[in-house]
Amino acid sequence: MPNQQFSKQLIYMLIGSAIILALSLGVRHGFGLYLVPISDSFGWGHHIFSLAIAMQNLIWGAAQPFTGAIADKYGTKKVVIAGGVLYSIGLVLMAFSSTSLLLNLSMGLIIGLALSATSFTVLLSAVGRAAPPEKRSMVMGIASAAGSFGQFIMLPSTLLLLKNIGWSSALLVSAFAVAFIIPLAWLLKTPSSTAPKALDQQNLTFKQVLTIAKNHKPFWWLSLGFLVCGFQVVFLGVHLPGYLIDHGFDATTGTVFLALVGLFNIVGTYGAGWLGDRFSKPRLLMLLYGLRGIAIIAFLLLPLSIFTVYSFGIIMGLLWLSTVPLTNGIVANMFGVKYLSMLSGIVFFTHQIGSFFGGWLGGVNHDLAGNYNMIWLACLLLSVFGVLIHLFVNEEAVIHD
C-alpha cells in the first residue's frame, strides 16, 4: 500500500510539475519572437530588447539560490504560487512597456524573479526528492521534457497571436495562461513516504552545506560547464529568428525552428535522464557539448536553406536542455536531496551568467557589425570549453541521502 501511495503522489507531482514547466518555459521561450516587432514598434535597435532579456536571465540566476533555499525550507508549493503571481504581473506590465526602463522592469526584473520560482531548479528538485535515487535522473528527464513540450505548443500559438492581435495583446493572453500555474501548484505535495528519508539526511545547516559545496572543486567545474549551456541556448533562442530574417526568411521559419527544438528536446531530455541512470553523467555532458559544437559548425558551413534550418532545429533540440537532468542529477549525487534546490540554484546561476552574455552580446554584435559572426565563434569556443571542463567533474558523494 505505501508503494501504491508513493507512485500515485509522485505521478501527481510529475503532472503538476510538467504543466507548470510547460507554461512557464513555453511562454519564456517565445520571447525571441517579440524582439523584431517590439523593436520595430518603438524604433529601437536590437540591443535594447537584448539587454532586457539578458537582465531577465541574470536576475533569474541571481535569485535562484535564494528561491531554492526558500523552497527547501518552506516547501515548493508556496514558492511556485508566488512565482505564478509575479509572472502574470510581469507579462501584463510588459504589454504596456513603451520605454526601455519599463521593459527592463517587467521582462527583466519581475519575470526574472518569477522564472526563478517556476522553472527547472525548484521543480526538478521537488520531483528529485520524491523519486527513489535509482530513478532520479529519469524522473527529472520526464519533467524536463514537459518544458520542451510547452515550447513546442506555445511557440506556434505565440506567432499566431502576434500575427492576429499584435504583440501587446499577445502578452495579455500569455499572462492569462500563466495564471493557471497558481492552482496547479497544489499538486506539488511531496510524497509522505519520501519525507523521512530527506529529513534523516545528515543534520547539516544551510551554512554547513554551503561550506562543503564551496570547498568541493568538481561542484565549481560543473557550474562553469553550465555557463556554456546558458550562453548557447539563449543566443539561439533569442537571436536565431532575427538571424534568419536578416538572411531573407520570414518569421514563420524562426518559429518552426524553435518549435522543432522544443519537440525534439522532449526526446533529448527524457533520453538524457534515462542514460544518466545508466552511464557517467559527466561523460554524457562532454558528449552533448561536443555534438553542439559540431552541429553549429555544420549549420554555418552548409548553404542556408529551409532544410538546413529545420535540420539544425531537430539536432539542437536533441541537445538543447538535455544538460539539465544530468547536471541536477550530479548535484543530487554529490550532496543528496535535502538542499538540492539551493545547490542546484547556485549551479544554475552560472548558467544564467552565460545566458546574460549570450542574449546581450548577440544584440550588441548585431547592432555594431550587422551580423552575429563573433557570437557564433564564441559558441564554438565554448563548446570546446564545455567538453574539457567536464573532465574534472565526478559524481562522488560528499553528503549522502
Side-chain angles (χ1 to χ4, degrees):
M1 187 69 176
N3 286 337
Q4 274 186 325
Q5 184 185 24
F6 170 81
S7 298
K8 187 176 179 181
Q9 289 182 345
L10 178 57
I11 288 169
Y12 285 150
M13 282 199 71
L14 273 174
I15 291 171
S17 299
I19 301 173
I20 290 167
L21 283 170
L23 287 168
S24 176
L25 298 178
V27 170
R28 183 255 177 185
H29 282 302
F31 285 151
L33 301 180
Y34 290 92
L35 185 151
V36 173
I38 290 181
S39 298
D40 289 350
S41 179
F42 298 110
W44 296 339
H46 286 195
H47 69 282
I48 291 178
F49 187 95
S50 298
L51 179 60
I53 202 80
M55 287 300 299
Q56 176 193 104
N57 284 289
L58 190 62
I59 290 165
W60 178 3
Q64 194 67 80
F66 301 100
T67 307
I70 294 169
D72 286 335
K73 187 169 184 179
Y74 297 105
T76 302
K77 183 177 76 173
K78 294 177 181 178
V79 169
V80 172
I81 290 171
V85 172
L86 281 175
Y87 209 150
S88 294
I89 292 171
L91 287 167
V92 170
L93 288 176
M94 185 179 167
F96 299 100
S97 295
S98 56
T99 67
S100 60
L101 179 62
L102 285 174
L103 192 66
N104 275 283
L105 174 65
S106 58
M107 186 168 69
L109 176 62
I110 297 175
I111 295 179
L113 290 172
L115 284 165
S116 75
T118 58
S119 58
F120 286 124
T121 302
V122 168
L123 289 160
L124 292 194
S125 297
V127 298
R129 275 190 289 268
E134 66 276 8
K135 298 292 183 184
R136 192 174 289 150
S137 288
M138 186 179 71
V139 168
M140 288 180 174
I142 293 170
S144 299
S148 303
F149 183 73
Q151 180 177 346
F152 173 66
I153 294 297
M154 297 293 287
L155 279 162
S157 304
T158 300
L159 181 63
L160 191 65
L161 290 171
L162 285 168
K163 287 185 172 181
N164 288 281
I165 62 176
W167 64 267
S168 184
S169 297
L171 286 167
L172 294 177
V173 173
S174 296
F176 176 77
V178 161
F180 283 96
I181 288 175
I182 300 166
L184 286 166
W186 262 263
L187 293 173
L188 304 178
K189 181 182 177 183
T190 303
S192 57
S193 57
T194 65
K197 184 175 182 179
L199 294 173
D200 285 341
Q201 194 177 14
Q202 294 181 29
N203 189 24
L204 300 171
T205 65
F206 279 102
K207 185 177 179 181
Q208 288 172 321
V209 171
L210 285 171
T211 301
I212 293 169
K214 183 183 71 173
N215 295 322
H216 190 55
K217 289 183 179 179
F219 177 70
W220 295 109
W221 302 138
L222 180 68
S223 300
L224 284 174
F226 217 22
L227 181 147
V228 177
C229 180
F231 188 99
Q232 292 175 336
V233 300
V234 169
F235 166 64
L236 291 173
V238 173
H239 292 287
L240 197 77
Y243 172 82
L244 295 174
I245 289 172
D246 288 348
H247 286 79
F249 296 90
D250 60 17
T252 302
T253 308
T255 304
V256 173
F257 167 83
L258 293 174
L260 285 170
V261 168
L263 178 63
F264 282 87
N265 194 38
I266 296 170
V267 179
T269 49
Y270 176 79
W274 185 85
L275 289 169
D277 285 331
R278 291 158 176 80
F279 302 101
S280 164
K281 295 179 189 65
R283 296 299 177 264
L284 289 171
L285 286 169
M286 290 173 65
L287 178 63
L288 286 173
Y289 287 118
L291 291 174
R292 277 191 192 181
I294 293 169
I296 291 170
I297 290 172
F299 178 68
L300 294 176
L301 292 181
L302 291 171
L304 198 59
S305 66
I306 292 289
F307 175 76
T308 57
V309 170
Y310 293 167
S311 297
F312 185 53
I314 291 169
I315 294 168
M316 288 305 297
L318 294 171
L319 308 171
W320 192 250
L321 293 178
S322 304
T323 58
V324 174
L326 296 174
T327 302
N328 283 344
I330 291 172
V331 176
N333 287 348
M334 286 177 174
F335 303 106
V337 295
K338 186 175 181 181
Y339 298 116
L340 182 56
S341 296
M342 177 182 66
L343 294 171
S344 293
I346 294 171
V347 176
F348 187 73
F349 179 45
T350 61
H351 180 284
Q352 294 308 94
I353 292 173
S355 299
F356 173 86
F357 286 108
W360 176 51
L361 291 179
V364 172
N365 187 185
H366 183 274
D367 286 350
L368 291 178
N371 58 53
Y372 292 102
N373 293 348
M374 294 303 298
I375 307 303
W376 284 118
L377 178 61
C379 284
L380 291 173
L381 293 175
L382 284 170
S383 286
V384 176
F385 177 77
V387 172
L388 296 177
I389 200 71
H390 284 93
L391 285 169
F392 305 101
V393 176
N394 61 62
E395 302 180 68
E396 182 182 347
V398 182
I399 301 174
H400 296 273
D401 285 341

